[in-house]
Amino acid sequence: MARRIALIGIDSLIPTVVEKLVEEGKLPTIKRLMEEGCYSRADPFYPTETGCNWATIATGATPRTHGCTYSVHLPGDPLNRLVSGFPSHMCQADQIWCVFDRAGRLSVIFDYPQSYPINARNVIHVGEDGFAGPSSRALDTPRGYRSGELGEKGFFRTYGARLELIPRPELSEKVRSLKPPLVGEVEMGGSTFSFVISARKGGFYDTVSLYAGREFDRPLAEAGRGEWSGWVIRGFPRDGGEVKAAFRFKVINLSPDGRDFLIYRTEIYPQEGFTHPPHWAERLVRECGPYLRRPSEQGVVFAESMDIETFYEEWADHGRWTAKAAELILSEVDWSLFILKWHGPDYMQHICWHMIDPIHPLHEPEKADYGWDYFARYYGIVDDLVRRIWDLVGEDGVIALVSDHGHIANLFAPGHRWLEEAGLLVRRSDGTVDWSKTKAYPTYYGVWVNLRGRDPNGIVEPGEEYERVRDEIIRAALEVRERNTGEPAYLLAARREDLEFMGLGGERCPDVVLACRPIPLRRKLSKEEYERMVGGSMWHISTGTHGEYLPSTKLSIGTIQALFAAAGPGLKKGYRRPKPISLAQVAPTLCKLANLPPPRDSEFGPVRDFLAN
């Protein structure tokens, strides 16, 4: 029996990339994990995204049973209303930490999906519910302050702001500037701050300082071009009171005349209340440094509010913080299960997939070496995290590494205009949905029928008309073509009950399920052409994608498959499985190694050929 189980979950850790970097000697800890234990590619469930497959990993259950996807439409709600699939109450299946809890064994959980609010007694918890989007607890999202105009798309304003600077020569002596300082006022987290650009060393502007409000007695933090500031930790107004929160900034660009600049500011996140029990928060901040749950994501880069090297630096720091915090807790408590989800690679691959994939229309072969170096450095954060946790597991424990899905090149986005063209979705002149005439409404991986008696605005009668509308949806979907190649856009269009063999179905699943076809585009495009082709939203202009592609999808060097590796007592050594496991086998396998029953709702058994006996 393994005394301890550590499961390190990495969002979108891709087996094709891992295997290449291991072979090149760039991931020594993961290489050791494969040599001393077992390794397999792993098939996720559809939809191949975060909310769905981390739930499967923790429960051993299919999506039909656990009911979790990234966003969930609940029965009885209007069809255009979705709720987050990440809070613990959204998961309808028993989770692995509940198994350990019933055995009286302690679990330490770091920001795992569907783990918060706390739903077990024997738990130490850090972070939130694993949601990949903006945190509800954060006081402000990451933002880039710039001198130029912002782009027109909405995410430029979500993650960026234009900073108007005014010369203030009367402040020169006070802020120690050899030239008239340039001052710009901003609101962050409900408080007012002032950025001051000054010349400290000579005849050019070289330093950015941050002050509270309009007081210029003492800067809260400072940084030069290419530098990070120190952390700012202070009180912010929140819910009629005050909360202590932290942030820092980096001066990505600053011209000698001070007029051209980009200042990236991190998420502003409370430094209390992010752990259970609460006392761990103060300890972690004191000994590990300030905590940011979600440092940055792809939208910040798309909004030109940071560059990819700054993105790497921030997530590398977050990886080190995560490892150090885990070391602190795990070295002091008698734990049995450690489980985390770390999201960095998913965000990165949405931004950077074109850097390494030769079929992507934005790929530049002359920059491929830099792309692979960047991926190696980024995956190296994961390698170091595994190394540091492994040191805490000990010889009588199991260390395991798992991902939830992979990535392929994002080459087109079919959208849902075809539903309007088929007369199934009707909009008014102002663009809003006319529910009195609408028979079908899309979600990201399927289509709901506007059914009378089930949906608040339902007009389609149950029975014969319902089935006829589903036939119309399927027929219309299969006629959608990719505009450049003329190939069918969808690989799958089917009734939900016909896909129960895939683990789909139930009242949270759309009436018709759709899955996209991976279609290679064999020509180069400019950035502007690419954005027009895939659509202008933040999600569509990602160069890597997943979610709406079947688990078996492979395209060029990309794959939607995930991976699973484990080493320790009860496991074979140096075993590489020739066929993929199912992600639903992870929890049953780990429970077997811990001599515990599988989660109550698990639908798959352990990976028996991983087991030594």
Side-chain angles (χ1 to χ4, degrees):
M1 180 185 83
R3 180 168 174 259
R4 289 172 166 169
I5 304 285
L7 179 62
I8 300 175
I10 306 297
D11 207 278
S12 195
L13 197 68
I14 304 175
T16 50
V17 176
V18 167
E19 290 160 14
K20 173 181 167 63
L21 296 178
V22 163
E23 185 177 344
E24 294 174 354
K26 295 176 180 176
L27 300 176
T29 308
I30 297 176
K31 182 175 187 290
R32 176 189 163 205
L33 182 59
M34 292 176 174
E35 291 175 345
E36 297 186 14
C38 304
Y39 171 77
S40 179
R41 294 192 181 190
D43 287 332
F45 284 87
Y46 190 77
T48 49
E49 42 94 310
T50 298
C52 173
N53 281 290
W54 288 116
T56 286
I57 290 166
T59 64
T62 63
R64 186 182 190 280
T65 300
H66 62 61
C68 294
T69 50
Y70 193 94
S71 299
V72 177
H73 168 67
L74 295 175
D77 282 351
L79 289 179
N80 58 353
R81 183 176 182 228
L82 297 173
V83 298
S84 171
F86 288 81
S88 57
H89 66 264
M90 293 300 294
C91 187
Q92 301 176 134
D94 190 36
Q95 296 155 315
I96 188 171
W97 51 85
C98 297
V99 176
F100 278 72
D101 180 50
R102 289 192 292 271
R105 298 165 70 174
L106 176 67
S107 296
V108 179
I109 306 172
F110 273 45
D111 208 57
Y112 195 93
Q114 298 97 30
S115 68
Y116 187 84
I118 307 301
N119 60 353
R121 292 170 300 171
N122 294 300
V123 162
I124 294 173
H125 192 281
V126 177
E128 298 181 24
D129 60 12
F131 178 49
S135 168
S136 61
R137 297 196 70 241
L139 276 65
D140 209 341
T141 61
R143 200 173 301 274
Y145 300 95
R146 62 190 316 111
S147 53
E149 295 293 334
L150 301 177
E152 295 180 358
K153 300 181 180 71
F155 55 84
F156 279 92
R157 285 160 179 76
T158 300
Y159 296 115
R162 186 176 181 187
L163 180 61
E164 299 284 352
L165 296 179
I166 301 173
R168 297 284 300 276
E170 74 277 13
L171 294 176
S172 295
E173 184 175 351
K174 196 166 192 178
V175 302
R176 297 182 292 116
S177 181
L178 300 176
K179 297 185 71 175
L182 308 175
V183 180
E185 193 171 287
V186 297
E187 183 176 296
M188 301 188 303
S191 296
T192 300
F193 297 86
S194 292
F195 279 112
V196 176
I197 298 179
S198 58
R200 294 281 177 81
K201 300 175 183 177
F204 57 91
Y205 289 93
D206 53 32
T207 302
V208 175
S209 307
L210 183 71
Y211 292 84
R214 302 178 182 90
E215 300 295 327
F216 300 98
D217 294 326
R218 180 179 299 177
L220 300 172
E222 295 185 328
R225 185 177 185 274
E227 296 176 347
W228 284 94
S229 74
W231 287 95
V232 177
I233 305 178
R234 58 183 289 108
F236 287 82
R238 184 76 180 257
D239 299 329
E242 186 177 86
V243 63
K244 184 173 67 174
F247 68 95
R248 60 178 178 159
F249 64 88
K250 181 184 177 183
V251 183
I252 295 177
N253 182 44
L254 177 60
S255 64
D257 65 1
R259 295 296 178 179
D260 184 18
F261 59 86
L262 175 58
I263 304 166
Y264 167 71
R265 189 261 300 151
T266 69
E267 172 187 70
I268 303 177
Y269 196 80
Q271 300 303 290
E272 52 199 41
F274 65 88
T275 65
H276 171 86
H279 69 84
W280 280 108
E282 180 182 0
R283 179 89 184 275
L284 292 175
V285 173
R286 184 174 68 249
E287 299 190 28
C288 304
Y291 173 63
L292 298 183
R293 190 195 73 87
R294 178 180 177 267
S296 189
E297 48 95 352
Q298 62 264 30
V300 186
V301 177
F302 295 151
E304 299 174 0
S305 290
M306 72 187 314
D307 56 19
I308 62 170
E309 287 297 336
T310 303
F311 183 88
Y312 164 78
E313 291 167 4
E314 190 169 20
W315 277 99
D317 283 348
H318 189 270
R320 286 188 286 268
W321 190 97
T322 300
K324 190 173 183 179
E327 288 170 341
L328 189 155
I329 296 173
L330 298 182
S331 64
E332 294 195 7
V333 301
D334 186 17
W335 61 280
S336 292
L337 173 68
F338 174 69
I339 182 169
L340 72 78
K341 187 270 291 182
W342 194 71
H343 208 85
D346 179 83
Y347 296 136
M348 182 272 288
Q349 285 154 173
H350 281 300
I351 301 165
C352 299
W353 187 254
H354 66 289
M355 292 165 56
I356 64 169
D357 192 339
I359 73 162
H360 197 282
L362 297 184
H363 180 70
E364 300 177 75
E366 66 276 12
K367 296 182 180 179
D369 287 346
Y370 168 73
W372 277 109
D373 173 72
Y374 188 87
F375 269 67
R377 286 185 286 136
Y378 209 103
Y379 273 50
I381 303 171
V382 176
D383 196 76
D384 190 62
L385 179 60
V386 175
R387 176 186 63 81
R388 293 174 67 171
I389 301 302
W390 200 345
D391 288 344
L392 297 165
V393 170
E395 294 183 356
D396 58 353
V398 167
I399 180 79
L401 175 67
V402 70
S403 60
D404 59 333
H405 58 74
H407 258 72
I408 62 169
N410 184 23
L411 299 178
F412 80 105
H416 297 105
R417 178 62 63 86
W418 56 271
L419 279 172
E420 296 180 52
E421 294 171 351
L424 294 164
L425 191 159
V426 179
R427 297 187 185 275
R428 301 184 183 92
S429 58
D430 62 0
T432 59
V433 176
D434 185 345
W435 293 107
S436 68
K437 299 177 181 178
T438 290
K439 296 181 179 180
Y441 189 80
T443 187
Y444 69 99
Y445 74 103
V447 179
W448 290 94
V449 174
N450 191 18
L451 187 64
R452 191 184 302 277
R454 182 190 69 181
D455 303 316
N457 302 294
I459 64 170
V460 176
E461 294 292 341
E464 184 178 334
E465 186 181 8
Y466 172 69
E467 297 302 339
R468 186 167 63 249
V469 170
R470 288 208 291 180
D471 285 340
E472 290 179 42
I473 295 169
I474 292 170
R475 185 163 50 249
L478 294 177
E479 291 175 357
V480 178
R481 294 293 184 267
E482 197 281 320
R483 69 185 72 175
N484 291 285
T485 65
E487 294 187 43
Y490 292 107
L491 188 63
L492 174 72
R495 294 171 173 82
R496 64 183 179 187
E497 64 269 24
D498 292 339
L499 300 177
E500 290 186 358
F501 73 96
M502 289 173 52
L504 293 172
E507 62 182 9
R508 294 183 180 181
C509 184
D511 296 297
V512 174
V513 175
L514 305 174
C516 290
R517 178 188 300 272
I519 303 172
L521 184 68
R522 305 188 187 280
R523 64 185 181 91
K524 297 292 291 182
L525 295 175
S526 68
K527 181 181 177 184
E528 292 73 22
E529 289 175 316
Y530 176 72
E531 291 188 10
R532 284 197 299 270
M533 181 182 77
V534 297
S537 75
M538 180 187 77
W539 292 106
H540 286 166
I541 64 175
S542 298
T543 64
T545 191
H546 56 90
E548 295 177 85
Y549 292 87
L550 293 176
S552 57
T553 300
K554 298 176 179 63
L555 184 65
S556 182
I557 63 170
T559 178
I560 296 297
Q561 283 184 319
L563 61 80
F564 178 52
L571 291 161
K572 294 177 181 177
K573 292 188 176 183
Y575 176 65
R576 182 162 180 165
R577 200 170 196 267
K579 294 183 179 180
I581 69 159
S582 167
L583 284 180
Q585 294 182 274
V586 173
T589 301
L590 298 180
C591 287
K592 177 76 173 178
L593 294 168
N595 199 28
L596 291 172
R600 289 171 178 163
D601 303 293
S602 62
E603 298 169 76
F604 285 67
V607 186
R608 296 204 174 273
D609 51 333
F610 269 29
L611 305 178
N613 299 314

